[in-house]
Amino acid sequence: MTWPILTVRLKQKVVDLLDYESRCNLRISSKDDRDVVDSTKFVPEKFKITETPSDLSEGKSIIRLEIDSFTIWMTGKDDLTKIDRGFNREVDETLSEIKQENRVEVFQKLLLRFSNKGLIKADTVEMEGIRFMPPEDLNFKCSSLKIVAVTTDYSVEWLKRMAPKLEKFENLDVACWGDDTELMTIHSLLEVSKSLKLEHESGITDEQLQEIEATNLKLFSERITVDGVRKRLEYFLTHGKATDRLEIAFSVPENFQPISFFPNNLRMKKITLRAEDENGYFGKILGGFENIHGIREPWKIELLSFGGRMRIYCKIWEKSERPCILYPFYFGRE
C-alpha cells in the first residue's frame, strides 16, 4: 500500500510517529500532505530556549529555540534581527532571513505560532539565560522542566506559565538567583514525582519535605530542621532507586554532633579521611532498613558543615575505579 492511496486517518497515524524534521519535509511535499501534518498534534520530546549575550557588542544576544533536532537562531541588537534555521544544529542558509524588528518581539511571536491556542506541550522544557518575559497569552505543559541561570525577575513569570502534563512534574530542576521570596510561593515546585532540584533558598518546611514524592532530591532551606532531614533520610533509604541522590542543606543548632543525627536502627561504618571535617561525618550505611526496590548495596553518607549549616549527601556506594599502588612497588613503564 503506497502513501497516496492511504486514507487521511491512516496518514495522520503515520505522521503522529514522525519527528519534527520529518514532519517539515512531508509538509512541503504537497497541499494535501501539509493539511495532514497541520491536522496532527505534535508534542516534541524537547523544547529548549536559550539566550546568550554577545561578548563583543553590548545589548546584542542570540536567542536559540530547539525543537528536537530543529533549531532557530535569532541574533540581533535593537531593531535588527537575523534569523537562521537548520537541523541537527547546522544552519541552512536557504532558510535565513533578516527582519527590521527586535529579536525578543520576533521570538515571542514565534512562540505563539508554535502554540495551540496559546499552549505549548512538550515532554521536556528547558530554559537557560533568558532575559525577557514570556508572551502574555502563552502557557506550557510538560513532564520535565529545567530552568538554569535565569534571574528571578524573569524566572518567576516563566514558572507561573508552567504546568505538568499530568498531575505532577516528573522532573524539575530550578537553578536561578535573585530575590527568592516570590519563587518560594510557587507550590507547584513541590509537585514532582521523580527528581526535584532547587538550587535557591526554597523555604520548605519539615511538613512539606515529607510530602515530596520525588526520591532524587536536591534542595536548601533554612526552615528544615535536623529531625526533618533525618525522617527524609529514612524515606530515601527505603524508597530511593539506585540512580537517586539525596542532597539537602539545612540549619543546625550550636554544638550539633553528627553522630547523633542518624537513626538508631541504621548500621553504620565511619570512614576516616585525611582532611576530615571535625563537625562532619563520612561513611557507609550498611543496613537497618528495607529498600522497596531490593537494593542491598551500601549507601555512601556524608555530612559536611559550612557556615553554621550542614549538608547531607547520600547515594549508592561506588567502588573506586582507580587502581591501588602498593608502595614502594611501581608497575608502570620506565
Side-chain angles (χ1 to χ4, degrees):
M1 184 176 291
T2 59
W3 177 260
I5 65 175
L6 292 179
T7 64
V8 173
R9 180 64 62 85
L10 286 176
K11 287 183 177 180
Q12 288 174 330
K13 289 186 176 182
V14 173
V15 171
D16 194 47
L17 301 174
L18 299 179
D19 60 17
Y20 191 77
E21 182 176 0
S22 300
R23 287 171 181 247
C24 290
N25 291 332
L26 179 61
R27 191 177 185 276
I28 61 176
S29 299
S30 68
K31 180 181 181 302
D32 289 340
D33 288 337
R34 183 191 65 190
D35 293 340
V36 170
V37 172
D38 291 347
S39 65
T40 307
K41 292 183 179 180
F42 174 62
V43 178
E45 291 184 8
K46 182 181 72 171
F47 194 94
K48 183 176 182 180
I49 305 171
T50 307
E51 184 175 13
T52 306
S54 172
D55 295 329
L56 303 177
S57 178
E58 185 178 355
K60 182 179 180 180
S61 72
I62 301 174
I63 300 175
R64 184 172 73 244
L65 172 62
E66 298 174 63
I67 305 176
D68 292 341
S69 61
F70 179 62
T71 305
I72 301 177
W73 296 267
M74 297 188 179
T75 306
K77 179 179 180 180
D78 299 329
D79 293 330
L80 184 64
T81 302
K82 182 186 179 186
I83 304 174
D84 294 307
R85 300 175 178 86
F87 290 95
N88 300 313
R89 298 192 175 185
E90 294 184 3
V91 175
D92 185 345
E93 296 292 348
T94 63
L95 301 176
S96 298
E97 60 178 314
I98 294 178
K99 288 194 174 184
Q100 301 289 332
E101 193 175 354
N102 184 274
R103 64 197 179 284
V104 173
E105 295 175 358
V106 174
F107 185 73
Q108 289 177 332
K109 292 177 183 178
L110 182 68
L111 287 178
L112 291 173
R113 284 179 53 195
F114 277 114
S115 71
N116 181 12
K117 298 180 180 179
L119 180 64
I120 292 177
K121 291 183 179 181
D123 292 336
T124 299
V125 172
E126 296 184 18
M127 299 182 179
E128 183 175 346
I130 298 175
R131 297 182 298 169
F132 55 87
M133 293 292 190
E136 290 185 4
D137 300 322
L138 183 68
N139 292 284
F140 293 81
K141 274 197 172 184
C142 58
S143 298
S144 300
L145 173 62
K146 183 176 183 179
I147 299 184
V148 178
V150 181
T151 64
T152 49
D153 295 340
Y154 305 108
S155 62
V156 170
E157 195 59 38
W158 282 99
L159 281 168
K160 288 180 178 178
R161 308 298 183 88
M162 302 292 168
K165 284 175 63 177
L166 300 176
E167 294 181 356
K168 301 178 181 179
F169 290 110
E170 289 186 358
N171 305 287
L172 179 61
D173 187 347
V174 181
C176 304
W177 65 87
D179 183 4
D180 302 322
T181 305
E182 192 171 2
L183 200 59
M184 290 188 292
T185 64
I186 304 177
H187 297 293
S188 61
L189 295 183
L190 306 182
E191 297 294 319
V192 183
S193 62
K194 293 182 179 179
S195 177
L196 173 61
K197 298 180 181 180
L198 302 178
E199 300 287 349
H200 58 86
E201 161 58 50
S202 61
I204 291 174
T205 63
D206 285 355
E207 292 75 16
Q208 291 173 320
L209 180 62
Q210 308 316 319
E211 293 174 358
I212 296 175
E213 181 182 345
T215 49
N216 192 58
L217 187 62
K218 180 179 181 180
L219 57 85
F220 166 69
S221 175
E222 293 185 344
R223 301 175 67 185
I224 296 177
T225 67
V226 173
D227 186 57
V229 179
R230 184 187 295 113
K231 291 179 180 178
R232 187 66 199 190
L233 175 62
E234 292 180 295
Y235 178 85
F236 176 75
L237 293 174
T238 55
H239 293 80
K241 301 180 182 66
T243 56
D244 287 338
R245 306 284 188 271
L246 176 67
E247 184 175 356
I248 302 177
F250 58 102
S251 298
V252 293
E254 293 185 11
N255 302 319
F256 171 74
Q257 297 298 320
I259 194 63
S260 66
F261 167 81
F262 300 105
N264 295 328
N265 58 295
L266 295 182
R267 290 191 291 111
M268 312 285 299
K269 180 181 179 181
K270 190 177 189 306
I271 298 175
T272 303
L273 302 176
R274 289 184 178 179
E276 189 170 12
D277 180 4
E278 295 181 356
N279 299 315
Y281 182 93
F282 182 81
K284 296 181 182 180
I285 300 177
L286 303 175
F289 60 92
E290 188 72 27
N291 184 274
I292 63 174
H293 304 291
I295 298 175
R296 298 184 180 276
E297 289 84 353
W299 293 80
K300 170 186 174 181
I301 184 72
E302 180 180 11
L303 287 174
L304 181 66
S305 63
F306 63 99
R309 300 185 180 93
M310 189 68 68
R311 168 186 170 272
I312 183 174
Y313 183 71
C314 186
K315 69 170 187 174
I316 286 288
W317 182 274
E318 298 175 355
K319 294 182 179 179
S320 174
E321 296 180 358
R322 297 181 60 185
C324 296
I325 298 177
L326 301 178
Y327 181 84
F329 304 106
Y330 177 68
F331 298 100
R333 292 184 178 181
E334 293 293 333

